[in-house]
Amino acid sequence: MKSTFFSIAALAAIAVAAPAKNNLLALRQAAPQITDADILNYALTLEHLEDKFYREGLANFTESDFAAAGFDSTFYNNLKEVSSDETTHVSFLTAALTKAGAKPVAECTYNFGVTDVKSFIATASILEGVGVSAYLGAAADIMSKAYLTAAGSILTVESRHSAYIRASLMESPAPSPFDVPLSLNEVFTLAAPFIVSCPDSNPTLPVKAFPTVVSSPDNPKNITSGTKITLLTPNYVVVPADGASQIFAAFITVTGPVFTEATKVDGGFSLTVPTAPEGTAPIGGQSYVVLTGCNTTVTDDTVAAGPAVLEIS
């Protein structure tokens, strides 16, 4: 199978590297100015995805299907409320954008890869966690206080969805004292694999997807700090721009990334999950890790691939 080569380097190396076709970071340009309308449309893009996900899942699987999978009628009915919330979020954001004179994005076509109730709930848990991180990460860029408050009110609801679904999977509903903020591009990277196509009439958003990184299916079921894991880079290879610099895995937290060295292995990289420094946010619950050539900061200019989603105990 054809592979694509992406190069990464530390910031100092990037500054002197000549632009090359395989140098992802050297070719990456500064992001355009992002407006509140962009952020609301970005949020609407995610809400459309969640809305369609729940509507499709609840149409495909009956209450009896949920019962057979071990989820009672209370959970089934509560999930219908979650679905209704997402539909309301879509309506609210659409109306807010229209009122502001901006064109709202329309629903896209999706492929969620769900085959049964259990995979539906497992995917729901990840999507809700990503939703929390999306709103948290975008909050700092929202200029309007009214929009910021509205986004905050959606964030808290998404967080309750996440906690409820995690508890239904016998996972801790609040596994960390801090949630993880993600950038627009990091979130879009996680959402993009579900999106098959979007209407041509949709406004173009200032977001892009990084190359995909996924947790190896051979990783231990119970991952903690100190666990050795493998991250896979399907259909492409990440190499340093100079062919020799160290590649790092950066675990994103609200108090800053936590870095660990990544070692090249067949199909990806192996690494040991680090422990966050004392006095900083721990690495726990639904966590996110990116590959980078920089071990001092994580920005859209330093991320080479990812994030991958990991559940850290």
Side-chain angles (χ1 to χ4, degrees):
M1 185 176 293
K2 184 178 180 181
S3 295
T4 302
F5 285 78
F6 293 91
S7 297
I8 61 177
L11 287 176
I14 294 168
V16 298
K21 197 167 187 178
N22 68 340
N23 192 335
L24 179 66
L25 295 186
L27 291 176
R28 202 168 283 161
Q29 298 179 357
Q33 182 66 37
I34 296 175
T35 67
D36 281 356
D38 290 330
I39 294 174
L40 290 185
N41 254 327
Y42 155 82
L44 180 56
T45 298
L46 301 178
E47 293 293 352
H48 272 309
L49 188 151
E50 288 185 302
D51 178 36
K52 180 62 174 180
F53 171 78
Y54 284 111
R55 287 190 287 112
E56 186 176 284
L58 291 171
N60 290 340
F61 305 116
T62 65
E63 185 173 350
S64 296
D65 293 329
F66 277 85
F71 299 96
D72 62 18
S73 60
T74 298
F75 176 80
Y76 176 76
N77 288 319
N78 284 340
L79 209 61
K80 290 167 69 176
E81 289 189 16
V82 171
S83 178
S84 177
D85 288 345
E86 305 299 357
T87 300
T88 301
H89 292 166
V90 167
S91 299
F92 170 79
L93 291 170
T94 299
L97 282 158
T98 301
K99 184 176 180 180
K103 182 177 181 179
V105 295
E107 182 180 287
C108 298
T109 301
Y110 311 97
N111 182 0
F112 297 109
V114 169
T115 57
D116 54 27
V117 169
K118 288 188 176 180
S119 63
F120 173 66
I121 300 304
T123 304
S125 181
I126 292 174
L127 289 179
E128 292 292 354
V130 171
V132 171
S133 292
Y135 278 100
L136 186 59
D141 294 324
I142 298 176
M143 301 301 294
S144 165
K145 291 183 179 180
Y147 288 159
L148 179 59
T149 300
S153 70
I154 294 176
L155 165 60
T156 57
V157 173
E158 298 288 355
S159 184
R160 284 196 288 275
H161 291 172
S162 177
Y164 181 73
I165 294 173
R166 286 181 61 88
S168 76
L169 293 172
M170 302 303 173
E171 297 175 345
S172 171
S176 175
F178 301 95
D179 283 317
V180 178
L182 292 177
S183 73
L184 273 65
N185 288 338
E186 288 164 348
V187 172
F188 187 68
T189 299
L190 296 171
F194 296 112
I195 302 174
V196 176
S197 63
C198 293
D200 292 338
S201 57
N202 273 3
T204 301
L205 299 181
V207 294
K208 58 189 173 185
F210 298 121
T212 301
V213 178
V214 296
S215 176
S216 170
D218 296 327
N219 284 337
K221 298 298 182 185
N222 184 37
I223 299 176
T224 63
S225 294
T227 300
K228 187 173 182 178
I229 63 171
T230 298
L231 298 179
L232 302 179
T233 55
N235 303 326
Y236 68 95
V237 177
V238 176
V239 295
D242 60 6
S245 295
Q246 178 65 51
I247 293 172
F248 300 92
F251 287 76
I252 301 169
T253 77
V254 72
T255 51
V258 182
F259 298 91
T260 186
E261 292 186 356
T263 302
K264 184 74 181 73
V265 296
D266 186 31
F269 292 85
S270 68
L271 58 113
T272 299
V273 177
T275 300
E278 186 175 354
T280 64
I283 302 170
Q286 185 163 309
S287 302
Y288 309 94
V289 56
V290 299
L291 295 175
T292 176
C294 176
N295 66 346
T296 58
T297 188
V298 170
T299 70
D300 286 343
D301 290 327
T302 64
V303 172
V309 180
L310 297 170
E311 182 66 27
I312 310 285
S313 301

